[in-house]
Amino acid sequence: MNRRQFLHNSMAAAATGMLAARQASQGQSAPAPIPGSIPPAEIGAVRFPDGFLWGMATAAFQVEGAWNEDGKGESIWDRFCHTTGKIKGAATANVACDQYHLYRDDIAILRRLNQKTYRFSISWPRIQPSGTGTPNTRGLDHYSRVADLLLESGIRPFCTLYHWDLPQGLEDIGGWPNRDLAGYFADYAAILAKHLGDRVTVWAPFNMPWSFTWMGYGVGAFPPGRASYGDFLKAAHTVSLAQGESSRAIKAASARATVGSAYGMAPAYPKSGSEADRAAAERYHAMNNVYFLEAALHGRYPQAFAVPTPFGEMGFRPGDETIMRAPLDWIGFHYYTRRIVSDARPAAHSGGGASFGTEIEEDSGAARDPYTQFRAVMPAEGPLTDAGLEVWPRGIYDLVTRISRDYNHPIIEITESGCSYLDTPYDRERGHVPDSRRIAFFREELTELARAIAGGARVRSFHAWSLLDNFEWADGYSQRYGLTWVDFRDQKRTVKDSGLWYGRVAAANRLDV
Ligand code: FCB
């Protein structure tokens, strides 16, 4: 649906929107628009469908703390944090937000903010301390209590099985490039579905599989800190196999289970109208957005490479097509920002100085890749968040519309979206965090999401990242993505103005609240 139709249809239903539109059209002291921003008239007119699931997301390693309690094993992220020089400010997640102990308080915040879905992840080394074998009952009991309390609070538990905290014991036998991990992961998935499947019905095997395989094995900025394209290809292939095997294991253990995904995606726009740049943007989309999705849905990899698909280096074996296949019940993905992509094949840069990059987010210089041969950059046309990501609301519309069209109108869950701004409470005791930029971010982005829904996309949920300020991976505590401010000295939580606003949105299904 184009913007004009969307506005027209929405306004028919919304008198307040009409008023705002009239003011805007009369040009009353309208400030110069921020590039990429959405006109206020559209925001005022937005209505979300009845039953839309408003939610928030976290990940075990980023919020739980209790890193060595109740039988939990060491994860690769524990090891990384405990290694000098890996994390900004020498931060660790030993305590993080202490959600392992404070989960009741956190679920109370979700309830107070009218949330209908909570996406959390389970720590594999809490369940199987070294990655295989008999489950640790105390770990299972913890997540059992979390699931029970969520349901009692009227909140849907959405469980991610793997948000990057691999048991160190499995890294010690080769990590994700070792294809045995696919089977171990399926065993772990079966344990979870058996113990929690009577209450948890929404499962996503992997958070951002491209990111953790690329950053961990291709670039080395994340654990285990390797920088080898071959290791990345192998790790990614094991994860594809694991996705298929775990999906079957979950369904075999729990009849009510639905399985989807939590992919990271960024819409890719070609840098120029040239055929070469367009093709490069498609390679980006294939590698960074839908590589694992195509593996699941079709049992094959999309055309992500400018060279013949390197099956040998992946460790691809006959029959893997069948193992990879997992007909997803719904498709979940995150949106944070966009990319501008250009061709970086050697011929395109015969003058030398070419730089290939699958990703620029942590372009360590090791991130040079002769296979995909594109260059992706994040533009800075729109304003930047405090984490340096460009705010581009339109991106979610383009992404949702494309996934919806390319995969025959699946059910879509937005598994994460958010922004880091460092606003702090100016009155700690009475609790008030005026983070108006975060409200503006969500307001505009959600207007674009509503436009995609009005155009026919079957989006059923939106999970804001994040319920809490938390441990932001290699950035430590230097970024704050939370809708709740956390004082890491004493764990005091203060719901930010954005959280209060989002709570009203969840109650009203509209954005002008
Ligand atoms: C996503 C991750 C999440 C968090 C946000 C800011 O890429 O899934 O854990 O770090 O970014």
Side-chain angles (χ1 to χ4, degrees):
M1 180 174 286
N2 69 34
R3 184 159 279 141
R4 182 180 297 188
Q5 287 164 330
F6 175 61
L7 190 54
H8 177 81
N9 293 354
S10 309
M11 297 230 288
T16 48
M18 287 175 81
L19 180 61
R22 201 171 308 130
Q23 285 168 348
S25 72
Q26 287 165 4
Q28 287 173 5
S29 64
I34 295 167
S37 69
I38 306 300
E42 283 188 37
I43 297 169
V46 165
R47 302 292 177 272
F48 273 80
D50 287 345
F52 188 78
L53 296 171
W54 296 97
M56 295 184 181
T58 58
F61 191 78
Q62 295 179 273
V63 299
E64 282 182 356
W67 79 282
N68 59 359
E69 285 181 45
D70 289 348
K72 176 182 167 294
E74 184 190 19
S75 77
I76 55 172
W77 271 97
D78 290 315
R79 177 74 60 94
F80 206 63
C81 291
H82 298 156
T83 307
T84 308
K86 299 296 186 189
I87 310 290
K88 202 175 268 186
T92 76
N94 293 358
V95 179
C97 311
D98 201 21
Q99 191 182 75
Y100 188 71
H101 298 112
L102 299 177
Y103 68 92
R104 291 179 199 81
D105 299 0
D106 292 342
I107 293 174
I109 296 174
L110 291 168
R111 179 158 36 185
R112 177 178 151 211
L113 299 180
N114 309 304
Q115 301 299 290
K116 295 286 178 293
T117 173
Y118 178 47
R119 175 172 169 255
F120 62 99
S121 81
I122 290 186
S123 158
W124 188 351
R126 241 182 242 299
I127 306 301
Q128 291 177 296
S130 60
T132 60
T134 317
N136 168 29
T137 316
R138 284 175 296 173
L140 283 169
D141 287 349
H142 170 71
Y143 295 108
S144 192
R145 288 190 292 268
V146 168
D148 286 342
L149 189 54
L150 286 170
L151 290 171
E152 270 168 51
S153 309
I155 299 166
R156 178 189 75 160
F158 175 132
C159 178
T160 309
L161 278 72
Y162 184 86
H163 203 126
W164 304 356
D165 42 359
L166 185 72
Q168 180 64 40
L170 294 180
E171 180 53 34
D172 293 344
I173 59 163
W176 286 109
N178 174 355
R179 74 183 266 147
D180 292 348
L181 264 69
Y184 296 140
F185 185 72
D187 295 344
Y188 160 62
I191 293 168
L192 296 185
K194 180 171 164 228
H195 286 87
L196 301 170
D198 54 336
R199 286 152 294 156
V200 177
T201 60
V202 183
W203 303 92
F206 290 104
N207 179 72
M208 301 179 82
W210 176 82
S211 299
F212 78 80
T213 49
W214 176 244
M215 300 293 281
Y217 296 92
V219 176
F222 285 179
R226 292 192 228 166
S228 144
Y229 201 78
D231 280 355
F232 158 66
L233 286 174
K234 285 193 183 59
H237 187 53
T238 307
V239 166
S240 291
L241 299 170
Q243 183 175 238
E245 291 202 18
S246 63
S247 158
R248 285 182 288 281
I250 291 167
K251 296 221 164 171
S254 165
R256 298 173 58 209
T258 67
V259 178
S261 61
Y263 302 129
M265 294 195 190
Y269 304 92
K271 185 173 179 190
S272 76
S274 74
E275 199 39 56
D277 283 352
R278 262 203 264 268
E282 283 307 297
R283 291 199 297 281
Y284 177 98
H285 183 70
M287 171 51 77
N288 297 53
N289 295 344
V290 298
Y291 195 72
F292 297 89
L293 177 58
E294 295 264 334
L297 296 184
H298 304 310
R300 62 169 156 69
Y301 292 119
Q303 283 300 332
F305 305 98
V307 295
T309 305
F311 289 112
E313 283 193 58
M314 289 174 187
F316 199 101
R317 295 183 191 163
D320 282 358
E321 299 86 346
T322 316
I323 301 174
M324 280 161 33
R325 271 188 77 107
L328 303 180
D329 298 299
W330 41 271
I331 297 176
F333 55 89
H334 320 339
Y335 171 66
Y336 284 91
T337 191
R338 65 170 172 155
R339 296 284 182 271
I340 304 292
V341 181
S342 54
D343 186 30
R345 284 173 302 165
H349 289 272
S350 48
S355 90
F356 304 138
T358 313
E359 181 54 18
I360 43 80
E361 249 145 10
E362 299 268 349
D363 190 351
S364 69
R368 299 290 180 250
D369 135 33
Y371 293 75
T372 52
Q373 301 188 4
F374 56 70
R375 175 143 184 85
V377 297
M378 189 196 67
E381 190 185 343
L384 304 184
T385 68
D386 288 345
L389 298 188
E390 187 204 32
V391 178
W392 199 255
R394 159 101 199 201
I396 198 166
Y397 174 85
D398 290 336
L399 201 51
V400 165
T401 304
R402 173 154 193 195
I403 296 297
S404 193
R405 185 192 65 216
D406 288 358
Y407 300 97
N408 196 21
H409 301 285
I411 295 169
I412 290 174
E413 303 244 1
I414 303 300
T415 35
E416 280 180 31
S417 187
C419 46
S420 172
Y421 290 116
L422 299 177
D423 308 285
T424 55
Y426 61 74
D427 180 338
R428 187 175 184 278
E429 291 322 309
R430 274 173 298 166
H432 183 54
V433 183
D435 59 337
S436 53
R437 290 173 298 174
R438 183 173 285 101
I439 296 177
F441 174 95
F442 281 121
R443 215 184 240 153
E444 299 196 4
E445 183 193 26
L446 287 165
T447 301
E448 287 294 90
L449 181 62
R451 188 158 71 90
I453 294 172
R458 296 164 67 205
V459 182
R460 75 174 175 201
S461 75
F462 180 87
H463 298 83
W465 184 270
S466 172
L467 165 61
L468 302 168
D469 291 337
N470 59 48
F471 176 83
E472 180 52 30
W473 308 115
D475 283 333
Y477 297 97
S478 68
Q479 296 300 333
R480 289 182 177 269
Y481 277 90
L483 282 79
T484 304
W485 200 82
V486 177
D487 188 332
F488 292 103
R489 294 169 301 185
D490 63 0
Q491 296 297 341
K492 182 175 164 54
R493 275 95 159 117
T494 303
V495 177
K496 300 179 188 179
D497 284 0
S498 61
L500 299 172
W501 170 82
Y502 191 65
R504 295 194 297 274
V505 167
N509 267 345
R510 52 197 285 175
L511 304 174
D512 56 341
V513 292

